[in-house]
Amino acid sequence: MALMITDECINCDVCEPECPNGAISQGEEYYVIDPGLCTECVGHYDTPQCVDVCPVECILTNPEHEESKETLQQKFLTLTGQA
């Protein structure tokens, strides 16, 4: 699954620079994650870096974008030009 940021986000700015795919950006009210770019850091790291640094634990899996680890790996390969 891709990740999502809930409305509990405090706009602390720590997640955005941690995303290796550039999937996180400032939304109208709080940060948002582009599910087309989010690989949950598969291919880059063992754990999602944004989740690791979030001080309010507002980054959850997005139930509207269910993806297997294999799908996330393929997305990583496509995004990095390795597919």
Side-chain angles (χ1 to χ4, degrees):
M1 290 187 197
L3 300 173
M4 62 183 255
I5 299 174
T6 69
D7 61 3
E8 295 172 4
C9 175
I10 58 172
N11 292 311
C12 67
D13 303 321
V14 298
C15 62
E16 183 181 20
E18 296 300 317
C19 181
N21 297 322
I24 301 173
S25 62
Q26 180 64 49
E28 287 187 30
E29 297 180 34
Y30 50 88
Y31 280 88
V32 295
I33 297 177
D34 179 343
L37 296 176
C38 179
T39 62
E40 294 185 39
C41 290
V42 168
H44 293 285
Y45 302 102
D46 292 333
T47 60
Q49 299 301 286
C50 59
V51 173
D52 289 349
V53 299
C54 181
V56 294
E57 300 178 3
C58 67
I59 304 174
L60 310 172
T61 54
N62 188 335
E64 295 182 15
H65 295 280
E66 292 187 34
E67 297 172 293
S68 67
K69 290 291 182 190
E70 293 78 20
T71 301
L72 293 170
Q73 178 67 32
Q74 186 58 50
K75 189 190 303 185
F76 160 76
L77 293 173
T78 300
L79 290 171
T80 58
Q82 299 178 47

